[in-house]
Amino acid sequence: MSRSEVPSGGPEADEYDVIVIGAGPVGENVADRAHASGLSALVVENELVGGECSYWACMPSKALLRPVAALSDARRVAGAAQAVDGGLDAVAVLERRDGFTSNWQDKGQVAWLESTGLELLRGRARLDGPRRIAVETHDGTVRTLTARHAVAVCTGSRAALPGIPGIEEARPWTSREATSAKEVPGRLAVVGGGVVGVEMATAWQALGSEVTLLVRGDRLLPRMEPFAGELIAEGLTAAGVTVRTGVSVEELSRPGPDGPVTLSLSGGGRLECDEVLFATGRAPRTDDFGLETVGCEPGSWLSVDDTLRVTGVHGGWLYAVGDVNGRALLTHQGKYQARVAGAAIVARAAGVPLLETDRWGAHSATADHDAVPQVVFCDPEATSVGLTVDEAERRGLRVRAVDVELGEVAGASLYADGYRGRARMVVDLDREVVAGVTFVGPGVGELLHSATVAVAGEVPLERLWHAVPSYPTMSEVWLRLLEEYRG
Ligand SMILES: Cc1cc2nc3c(=O)[nH]c(=O)nc-3n(C[C@H](O)[C@H](O)[C@H](O)COP(=O)(O)OP(=O)(O)OC[C@H]3O[C@@H](n4cnc5c(N)ncnc54)[C@H](O)[C@@H]3O)c2cc1C
């Protein structure tokens, strides 16, 4: 649809076609899509344009982790290993990280926003009844705005801290401090064995901390195939991290302002550390947000349909896109949802039935259900897309798992001496398509998209057989997996 086809309501003050709350990667994309199609759009942001991803999540965490992988890669190749002398230069790594966050300034992203013609309002937004938003601006005034067609809530998520005695006084790190700290703590306890826990344990151990990773369950990365957690625990242990499973923190105490923190653990043990990071999950940024004014539960994840429209809100004007809907807390998935929501908002504003303009299924975020890719940037890397065996079976699919040791693939053995890693392909036996793939090993992150294409494309295995991988690359793992499946 061209810009001119979309009816825009004109420039009356404080009335916009679309109001987007939150200028993270997701909000930016929803607003851009709507505006590029001719709708007037306002973006409201309370902190930094660019959101969590740019300043306290993806970018700084990966900036901390990339040097770890680069060093490990060199150490795993004879000839290069001899040239590596010593560990990471923590000061240089932190400086490079600061560059990726633009020193926590959003000038560059504001300039991009302005270059697209989008309007930015700085302040904290709350819903104020159907189609209405009240924004407490940074100069203390309150502006009430109305949306003609849609309000898109793109407020993201924040770290969720458990209600353990002493937690407030202990001033724990969350993902924000773990990605922005300026100094390397001597001893760091990391609580939680999910993605943030294992990535930050990897980074800070390599930067010089003595890291203890405390995990309540019996394995790391519990949402992936079990072998992923096993190989990652092996990698962390080899790097010097103390990994303890089946243990939870029951109490914390930090008597002095800068003194150590003591953790009381289940089973009676204690652990003293200089900082403690809680990586124990995320909560939606929907508390104190006026959700009750539109009939939704305050503080809840916003449940949406596949066009990202909040379910149960009369009039269908409220959208929730990105982390805040809880479907897949990943930047790339949120931006995919933003493309879908943007297209749906524009089509509905123009009164065009979605199905009529639904080229490529562009108004429906179906990939959220079956084909979410994720890379865990620890050492080795762990990646997955689609369903694990367990998830597939819970959905009632008849599946078979095919495993290949990556070290047996020529490309992997060239990548690293003594390469250790594994691949699993989960095959939907009734349709003979790939339902899920997991790769664990050094350098597998860039391999994942081939699996995403196979899963999202529902490519029949008999066609995949004719996708010939180059020799000698790690991609030949596909050939090994298919040979193993054919028998
Ligand atoms: C440590 C860590 C590492 C991560 N690494 C990766 C990774 O490598 N790859 C990946 O894909 N994902 C990663 N993620 C997840 C990724 O950060 C999120 O999925 C992504 O930031 C979600 O984008 P969003 O726009 O929905 O929300 P956010 O990025 O959280 O942005 C929301 C914005 O809304 C604003 N806001 C909130 N409430 C209001 C309000 N009431 N009024 C006005 N503004 C408001 C906030 O200030 C913020 O700027 C990581 C997460 C963490 C914690």
Side-chain angles (χ1 to χ4, degrees):
M1 184 176 304
S2 73
R3 272 188 77 138
S4 54
E5 284 175 72
V6 178
S8 174
E12 294 107 68
D14 290 346
E15 202 171 77
Y16 295 85
D17 292 326
V18 181
I19 297 176
V20 176
I21 307 176
V26 175
E28 286 177 336
N29 275 278
V30 175
D32 188 34
R33 291 269 144 175
H35 182 70
S37 297
L39 296 176
S40 64
L42 173 78
V43 186
V44 187
E45 173 53 54
N46 194 30
E47 290 186 82
L48 296 175
V49 173
E52 207 72 12
C53 176
S54 301
Y55 307 101
W56 299 284
C58 324
M59 292 313 280
S61 64
K62 269 73 251 183
L64 294 176
L65 285 158
R66 175 63 199 138
V68 184
L71 190 61
S72 295
D73 279 351
R75 282 191 177 136
R76 290 187 187 110
V77 179
Q82 284 79 352
V84 176
D85 192 11
L88 293 179
D89 177 335
V91 173
V93 173
L94 296 180
E95 260 178 36
R96 182 168 185 268
R97 183 269 324 262
D98 294 353
F100 276 96
T101 62
S102 310
N103 286 299
W104 291 273
Q105 311 237 335
D106 64 1
K107 260 197 305 206
Q109 304 229 30
V110 172
W112 170 80
L113 206 79
E114 285 171 355
S115 74
T116 64
L118 282 167
E119 212 179 304
L120 170 68
L121 176 61
R122 293 212 185 251
R124 192 181 191 296
R126 283 185 187 77
L127 298 174
D128 186 29
R131 296 173 199 272
R132 273 161 58 98
I133 309 294
V135 182
E136 198 180 323
T137 63
H138 287 178
D139 64 15
T141 55
V142 175
R143 272 180 71 182
T144 303
L145 310 166
T146 307
R148 288 183 204 97
H149 297 297
V151 172
V153 179
C154 307
T155 52
S157 65
R158 58 176 164 74
L161 289 176
I164 301 172
I167 195 157
E168 262 182 43
E169 303 78 64
R171 298 180 309 284
W173 278 11
T174 67
S175 48
R176 283 206 164 189
E177 290 77 19
T179 50
S180 63
K182 297 278 185 189
E183 278 168 23
V184 180
R187 297 162 301 172
L188 175 68
V190 177
V191 185
V195 177
V196 175
V198 301
E199 285 190 347
M200 290 299 94
T202 304
W204 288 101
Q205 178 73 31
L207 286 167
S209 294
E210 189 186 301
V211 175
T212 305
L213 180 60
L214 302 167
V215 183
R216 195 169 49 179
D218 60 357
R219 63 181 164 110
L220 307 184
L221 301 177
R223 294 193 179 170
M224 287 190 161
E225 296 284 5
F227 72 83
E230 286 158 23
L231 288 172
I232 297 316
E234 241 178 57
L236 284 166
T237 306
V241 174
T242 303
V243 180
R244 295 182 59 181
T245 53
V247 62
S248 48
V249 180
E250 298 193 329
E251 198 171 339
L252 297 98
S253 82
R254 184 172 219 167
D258 297 316
V261 189
T262 303
L263 314 183
S264 305
L265 305 176
S266 54
R270 278 168 185 267
L271 178 72
E272 192 180 90
C273 55
D274 299 299
E275 297 294 348
V276 53
L277 160 64
F278 273 83
T280 44
R282 310 285 301 169
R285 281 218 199 93
T286 56
D287 37 354
D288 190 17
F289 186 62
L291 278 183
E292 64 287 355
T293 69
V294 297
C296 296
E297 169 85 21
S300 61
W301 298 98
L302 290 171
S303 150
V304 292
D305 63 19
D306 276 350
T307 68
L308 288 312
R309 207 150 60 160
V310 177
T311 49
V313 172
H314 183 69
W317 55 275
L318 187 64
Y319 291 73
V321 196
D323 274 18
V324 75
N325 62 36
R327 282 163 73 114
L329 279 66
L330 291 160
T331 292
H332 47 270
Q333 219 60 30
K335 284 166 42 179
Y336 161 73
Q337 292 175 10
R339 296 190 285 276
V340 168
I345 290 168
V346 169
R348 285 179 176 135
V352 180
L354 293 192
L355 283 177
E356 269 180 32
T357 55
D358 201 2
R359 202 163 159 245
W360 296 2
H363 302 122
S364 190
T366 50
D368 283 353
H369 306 296
D370 305 315
V372 175
Q374 174 152 35
V375 178
V376 186
F377 292 81
C378 42
D379 182 28
E381 288 170 347
T383 70
S384 66
V385 61
L387 307 179
T388 60
V389 171
D390 197 42
E391 284 166 339
E393 286 177 351
R394 271 189 274 125
R395 287 194 190 187
L397 296 180
R398 216 168 53 84
V399 293
R400 182 177 146 206
V402 180
D403 290 354
V404 164
E405 292 303 318
L406 268 163
E408 291 166 11
V409 174
S413 66
L414 282 163
Y415 191 92
D417 299 334
Y419 191 103
R420 255 181 81 59
R422 191 176 305 164
R424 169 168 289 182
M425 172 173 76
V426 179
V427 178
D428 175 337
L429 291 171
D430 291 322
R431 300 175 61 216
E432 253 196 354
V433 294
V434 186
V437 174
T438 302
F439 298 128
V440 183
V444 294
E446 293 298 337
L447 200 55
L448 183 64
H449 194 61
S450 56
T452 307
V453 171
V455 173
E458 302 178 3
V459 184
L461 295 192
E462 63 181 33
R463 282 310 305 159
L464 216 45
W465 181 247
H466 297 277
V468 182
S470 296
Y471 178 82
T473 64
M474 255 196 265
S475 298
E476 276 204 318
V477 67
W478 282 106
L479 183 55
R480 301 281 164 268
L481 287 165
L482 291 168
E483 281 172 344
E484 185 70 26
Y485 176 75
R486 280 165 56 128

